[in-house]
Amino acid sequence: MNNGRFAISLHILSLLALDDEEWVPSKFLAGSININPVLVRKELGNLQAHGLVVSKEGKAGGSKLARPAETIFISDIYDAVRQNDLLGKGINVPNPECNVGRQINNYLDELYIEAEHALRASLGEKSLADFCKNFQSEHTQH
């Protein structure tokens, strides 16, 4: 997740959740995130492909959540943008003659799976609506 897509997507979805009655233009989203609207549209396309947003083109267009924020979990967002293993993978081939070297990858794989499950379980406990409670006192206007 070190590529920033998770943070960008969570930012986008938070803005859409707070403005759930309006079609929110990508230009507004980009202004809040302080990135190029093209990058926002790219993430919106990915979020749409994962069933998290719907978009409408044209002058009155924009994006909205595809379903209520209470039914979108942070783990859904993580799954939508996840590209790499959480802790990465070793790039070298350990020495098979070494007691640690010949076994380490098996144990690392187990550790990575455990960490991934723990992260997803934790993220699955909080909905987008829960996350957006952080911003209720400062409701976004545009």
Side-chain angles (χ1 to χ4, degrees):
M1 280 306 121
N2 59 6
N3 63 10
R5 289 184 64 205
F6 177 77
I8 290 169
S9 291
L10 186 53
H11 195 146
I12 289 169
L13 292 168
S14 296
L15 290 167
L16 297 180
L18 291 170
D19 248 338
D20 64 346
E21 299 299 316
E22 301 288 326
W23 289 98
V24 181
S26 58
K27 185 175 180 180
F28 172 79
L29 298 170
S32 177
I33 303 167
N34 202 22
I35 62 172
N36 189 302
V38 171
L39 295 174
V40 168
R41 287 190 287 276
K42 181 179 177 187
E43 285 309 315
L44 285 167
N46 180 57
L47 295 170
Q48 186 168 349
H50 284 87
L52 300 175
V53 302
V54 291
S55 297
K56 179 171 91 169
E57 293 185 23
K59 188 166 177 70
S63 298
K64 287 184 175 186
L65 293 180
R67 57 186 203 253
E70 295 80 13
T71 67
I72 297 173
F73 290 87
I74 306 302
S75 58
D76 297 328
I77 303 163
Y78 173 79
D79 290 340
V81 300
R82 183 179 179 274
Q83 292 180 315
N84 302 316
D85 292 314
L86 177 63
L87 298 175
K89 291 283 185 185
I91 57 172
N92 63 322
V93 178
N95 182 348
E97 302 299 318
C98 172
N99 186 41
V100 172
R102 77 174 152 262
Q103 301 178 72
I104 189 125
N105 284 333
N106 294 334
Y107 294 118
L108 283 173
D109 287 345
E110 289 174 19
L111 184 66
Y112 295 158
I113 290 168
E114 287 175 28
E116 185 82 23
H117 285 305
L119 174 64
R120 288 197 78 265
S122 177
L123 295 177
E125 293 176 3
K126 184 173 279 200
S127 72
L128 179 59
D130 295 331
F131 183 78
C132 287
K133 289 176 184 172
N134 293 311
F135 312 108
Q136 284 183 335
S137 64
E138 304 172 24
H139 183 71
T140 308
Q141 301 279 323
H142 65 113

